[in-house]
Amino acid sequence: MAHLLMVESWVGSMSRLLPRAIREGGHEFTFLTRDLHHYLRSAPEGTAHPLLGARNVITADTNDLATLLPAIERLHAVLRFDGVLTSCDYYLPTVARIAGRLGLPGPGPEAVENACRKDATRRVLADAGVPGPRYAVHEEWADLVRAAREIGYPLVVKPVDLCAGMYVRRVDDEEQLATAVRALSDFPVNARGQRRDPAVQLEELLDGPEVSVETVSYAGAVHVVGVTDKSIGGAPAFIETGHMFPAALSAADAEAAEHTARTALKALGLTDGVVAHTEIKLTSAGPRVVEVNPRPAGNRITELVRHVTGIDLAAAFVDVSLGHRPDLRGGDTGLRSAAVGFLVPEAAGTLEALGGDELRDRPDVLELQLAEPGRPVTAAGSNNEYLGHVMAADATGLGARERVEALLGELRSGLVIR
């Protein structure tokens, strides 16, 4: 039995999947957080709170690395950790630093930090010759205006250090640029109390569909598990409205996406102890890297992969965090595709009605999660405002997305926001 240190987590599906993978692997974990109430405010999925399975729950300032590292060394002397991990983007660099300090398995801290910073990712990939969009990073308004004109409108405005699509916006002119930059400057601290970098990243708007490549890196090799497609809505934001695994791509496009992901991961140095989710645009000029996320995919993609292939990416994450060879054999699940669709609110107000419970009994429905009436609703600006999701499968081919779209249509017909 191994003992893992889990530093923070999300409160969504991974907060359920990761503790389960640890338990089913015959291991145990200690949970470390700066704010336990962050995990108690939201009702967990399932019948029991995931933290009830922790061997220990310890509070420490996970945002102060200078005091955290020696504190964890003292904990390690008593509790003896065999690995350390997190499912929260904002603490991936922290975990890499802890692993390095304690001599535990994991990728190099610099590699993780570069992957978690959008500007650093662009710099490293450009230096390695990995194709990407034209981009610029500035803090001052005059520099941003000049760079925007050089790149050319329309373009994409991004924070360099947020996730879940927060404050990522398409802008078509200088007035929209000003609005997007002002919104970013009004959000100086992220949801975990970390002060943000004020730099703003501008990128060329890429054409073509977006996919993600799900990989597991171990012992210097990057293993591709598969390619997931993505649907986007909510313009001028870029909100993920759904996914299907595997993506309905030609063999040539799938191979190009996989090759690009491998090349990006190798350029960043993420070839050992990493489960990664690399987002790629299949543009008219060839594949272009959007982001590299050195953790298992969120938004139910990890579940889609398991339903179709039998491969448990959460379990693989636990394995590589312990320095163990992951089991990526999978098996025949009887399904050929699985898809998820998210109910994205287009207006603010209060959720008055949302039917759809009867959909749970459909034979092709794998998951259905719906918000409760009475909930305050915000018009979606990122992947954080969903009102629910439905997941469905197809046992014969790549028809899962079509089934999900039909189910979402039924849900929308009963949606009332006032």
Side-chain angles (χ1 to χ4, degrees), residues 277-365:
H277 167 72
T278 303
E279 298 171 339
I280 292 171
K281 275 272 196 177
L282 299 173
T283 78
S284 56
R288 298 290 185 268
V289 175
V290 177
E291 289 182 5
V292 178
N293 300 284
R295 42 81 179 160
N299 257 7
R300 260 40 191 206
I301 293 173
T302 292
E303 291 94 318
L304 298 181
V305 171
R306 180 177 57 81
H307 280 302
V308 175
T309 69
I311 295 172
D312 187 339
L313 290 175
F317 187 32
V318 172
D319 286 339
V320 299
S321 297
L322 290 169
H324 299 168
R325 182 176 296 278
D327 182 359
L328 302 177
R329 291 171 295 177
D332 186 359
T333 65
L335 302 179
R336 294 296 172 263
S337 65
V340 63
F342 300 100
L343 198 58
V344 179
E346 298 178 354
T350 300
L351 179 62
E352 187 168 295
L354 177 57
D357 277 337
E358 69 281 359
L359 300 182
R360 298 182 195 277
D361 298 327
R362 300 278 182 90
D364 56 347
V365 172

Side-chain angles (χ1 to χ4, degrees), residues 142-386:
D143 295 327
L144 288 167
V145 170
R146 184 182 66 257
R149 290 172 180 167
E150 291 172 353
I151 294 172
Y153 293 99
L155 49 77
V156 179
V157 175
K158 293 182 175 183
V160 297
D161 54 3
L162 289 176
C163 56
M166 292 185 68
Y167 294 95
V168 179
R169 296 291 184 270
R170 168 181 169 145
V171 298
D172 294 306
D173 54 40
E174 195 169 303
E175 181 180 355
Q176 292 179 7
L177 175 63
T179 300
V181 170
R182 186 163 51 249
L184 259 180
S185 66
D186 289 341
F187 191 72
V189 178
N190 69 24
R192 296 309 184 99
Q194 298 168 337
R195 183 154 293 279
R196 292 192 49 254
D197 190 308
V200 177
Q201 187 156 314
L202 307 180
E203 292 185 358
E204 169 190 9
L205 180 67
L206 298 172
D207 64 0
E210 186 171 331
V211 300
S212 61
V213 182
E214 322 311 332
T215 57
V216 180
S217 298
Y218 177 75
V222 178
H223 179 89
V224 174
V225 175
V227 182
T228 311
D229 75 8
K230 178 186 297 187
S231 55
I232 301 289
F238 295 84
I239 300 171
E240 297 178 1
T241 60
H243 303 278
M244 185 173 78
F245 183 92
L249 297 176
S250 68
D253 280 344
E255 183 179 352
E258 293 174 9
H259 173 75
T260 302
R262 281 195 185 97
T263 303
L265 289 166
K266 290 175 181 177
L268 286 161
L270 296 172
T271 58
D272 193 20
V274 180
V275 177
H277 167 72
T278 303
E279 298 171 339
I280 292 171
K281 275 272 196 177
L282 299 173
T283 78
S284 56
R288 298 290 185 268
V289 175
V290 177
E291 289 182 5
V292 178
N293 300 284
R295 42 81 179 160
N299 257 7
R300 260 40 191 206
I301 293 173
T302 292
E303 291 94 318
L304 298 181
V305 171
R306 180 177 57 81
H307 280 302
V308 175
T309 69
I311 295 172
D312 187 339
L313 290 175
F317 187 32
V318 172
D319 286 339
V320 299
S321 297
L322 290 169
H324 299 168
R325 182 176 296 278
D327 182 359
L328 302 177
R329 291 171 295 177
D332 186 359
T333 65
L335 302 179
R336 294 296 172 263
S337 65
V340 63
F342 300 100
L343 198 58
V344 179
E346 298 178 354
T350 300
L351 179 62
E352 187 168 295
L354 177 57
D357 277 337
E358 69 281 359
L359 300 182
R360 298 182 195 277
D361 298 327
R362 300 278 182 90
D364 56 347
V365 172
L366 301 173
E367 284 185 16
L368 179 67
Q369 181 178 320
L370 302 172
E372 293 291 334
R375 164 181 162 171
V377 176
T378 302
S382 71
N383 299 336
N384 294 326
E385 286 91 21
Y386 300 136

Side-chain angles (χ1 to χ4, degrees), residues 25-36:
H27 312 307
E28 58 185 355
F29 71 98
T30 287
F31 189 75
L32 185 70
T33 178
R34 66 186 289 270
D35 180 12
L36 185 58

Side-chain angles (χ1 to χ4, degrees), residues 4-140:
L4 286 131
L5 175 64
M6 188 187 302
V7 181
E8 306 289 2
S9 175
W10 287 125
V11 294
S13 63
M14 195 54 68
S15 70
R16 171 176 50 87
L17 295 176
L18 203 50
R20 186 190 70 189
I22 293 171
R23 182 180 68 251
E24 291 180 354
H27 312 307
E28 58 185 355
F29 71 98
T30 287
F31 189 75
L32 185 70
T33 178
R34 66 186 289 270
D35 180 12
L36 185 58
H37 293 289
H38 181 88
Y39 303 93
L40 303 179
R41 285 193 293 264
S42 301
E45 301 176 44
T47 57
H49 197 290
L51 291 184
L52 292 175
R55 172 176 159 183
N56 309 287
V57 177
I58 298 173
T59 302
D61 190 349
T62 52
N63 287 347
D64 184 353
L65 200 60
T67 61
L68 181 65
L69 289 177
I72 288 180
E73 281 188 312
R74 293 191 293 272
L75 284 175
H76 182 53
V78 177
L79 300 177
R80 304 308 305 173
F81 302 118
D82 301 293
V84 55
L85 77 179
T86 184
S87 62
C88 179
D89 294 65
Y90 299 138
Y91 294 98
L92 290 166
T94 299
V95 160
R97 291 289 174 188
I98 292 170
R101 184 74 164 252
L102 301 184
L104 298 176
E110 184 179 0
V112 174
E113 288 163 6
N114 285 338
C116 290
R117 288 270 310 202
K118 295 178 176 64
D119 52 344
T121 300
R122 286 278 171 253
R123 173 181 50 78
V124 171
L125 296 186
D127 289 346
V130 180
R134 289 176 293 130
Y135 77 101
V137 182
H138 296 289
E139 293 185 27
E140 299 299 326

